[in-house]
Amino acid sequence: VGDRHLAMAETSSPPILQVRSASKSFPVSGKRGRRALQRAVDGASFTLEEGKTLGIVGESGSGKTTLGRMIAGLERPDEGEILIGGERVENLAQRRTSHALSTLVQMVFQDSSAALNPRMTVGATLREVLEVHRGREGAGRHRDGVNELIEKVGLPEGILERYAWDLSGGQLQRVCIARALAVNAKILVCDEPVSALDVSIQAQILNLLVALQGE
C-alpha cells in the first residue's frame, strides 16, 4: 500500500498556480513632496490545484486586485515569483507571438461595462478573440464557436447583435466570462465579479462559474 501511494505522489502533476512570497509596491507622494513606496502586496504565498477554487479575502485596498493582475502578467512582482504550470509568469508573458500567457490565464473584472468595447457588438467581441488566438481562417468555425460560448454562459443567440451599453449588469458579466473562456484558459482570475450586481444576479453568476468549473 505504501509503495502504491508513493507512486501516485511521484506522478501527480504540480499545482496549476504557485505564488511564492510575491510582493509589489507602488510609488506615492510622501511628506514635503518626497516620493515614497506603498506596499500593495506583501509576501503572498499560496498554491491552486487544477479544477479548484481559491478565494482571496481582504478589505478594500488590501492588494487583491494587484495580486490578480500579477497572476495575469499585467504587473510584475518586485520580489518573489509566480508560476503557472511550473513556469514563471514573466517568461510566459514574453512569448507575445504565441499568446502563451493569455491562453493560460484570463481575468474577469469587477466593472464589466468598462471591460468591453462599446463600439463592438457582443458577437464581434467574441469573434475577435477567436480570430486572434485561432487564426482568421474558418469564419464558419468561428461563428459556431461564438454560438457555443454564448450558450455556455446561458445567453440567447439574439444578444450577439447587441452592444455593451444595451445589456444588463448580469448579461455584461456573462459576456465577459464567455470572452475569457474563448481561449480555453486554465485559470480564471475573477476580481470581485459580482460585487456590482443585485443579490439574485450574484447567485446566478456564481452558480454559472461553478457549473463551468465542473466542465
Side-chain angles (χ1 to χ4, degrees), residues 16 50 101 149 161 168 171 187 203:
I16 186 65
E50 191 165 3
L101 181 58
L149 288 168
E161 302 304 320
S168 68
Q171 290 172 328
I187 301 171

Side-chain angles (χ1 to χ4, degrees), residues 4 22 29 37 51 67 72 75 86 90 102 111 128 143 145 147 171-172 183 204-205 210:
R4 179 169 63 86
S29 297
L37 289 178
L67 184 56
E75 300 281 357
E90 300 95 298
S102 61
D111 189 353
E128 181 182 54
R143 183 171 57 252
N147 291 335
Q171 290 172 328
L172 284 170
V183 299
Q204 293 176 18
I205 297 299
V210 171

Side-chain angles (χ1 to χ4, degrees), residues 94-173:
Q94 289 174 357
R95 301 177 189 171
R96 298 185 183 279
T97 55
S98 63
H99 308 288
L101 181 58
S102 61
T103 56
L104 288 174
V105 56
Q106 285 284 311
M107 286 196 73
V108 179
F109 295 96
Q110 179 181 4
D111 189 353
S112 54
S113 60
L116 298 173
N117 187 337
R119 298 183 178 181
M120 296 177 66
T121 64
V122 172
T125 297
L126 297 178
R127 279 194 300 273
E128 181 182 54
V129 179
L130 293 176
E131 289 175 356
V132 168
H133 289 273
R134 304 182 189 180
R136 294 186 176 276
E137 297 181 1
R141 287 188 293 109
H142 292 333
R143 183 171 57 252
D144 293 341
V146 167
N147 291 335
E148 181 181 344
L149 288 168
I150 287 298
E151 183 179 354
K152 272 188 175 183
V153 297
L155 289 174
E157 186 176 335
I159 208 168
L160 294 174
E161 302 304 320
R162 296 169 65 181
Y163 293 85
W165 47 262
D166 194 29
L167 304 180
S168 68
Q171 290 172 328
L172 284 170
Q173 202 57 283

Side-chain angles (χ1 to χ4, degrees), residues 19 22-26 38-46 55-72 74-77 82 107 110 189-192:
V19 179
S23 298
K24 181 69 177 179
S25 298
F26 294 100
Q38 176 67 46
R39 183 62 66 99
V41 178
D42 189 7
S45 296
F46 57 86
I56 306 296
V57 182
E59 62 186 10
S60 179
S62 61
K64 302 185 298 296
T65 295
T66 300
L67 184 56
R69 288 175 62 85
M70 288 195 292
I71 294 171
L74 302 176
E75 300 281 357
R76 293 190 63 172
I82 299 175
M107 286 196 73
Q110 179 181 4
V189 178
C190 299
D191 184 11
E192 300 190 46

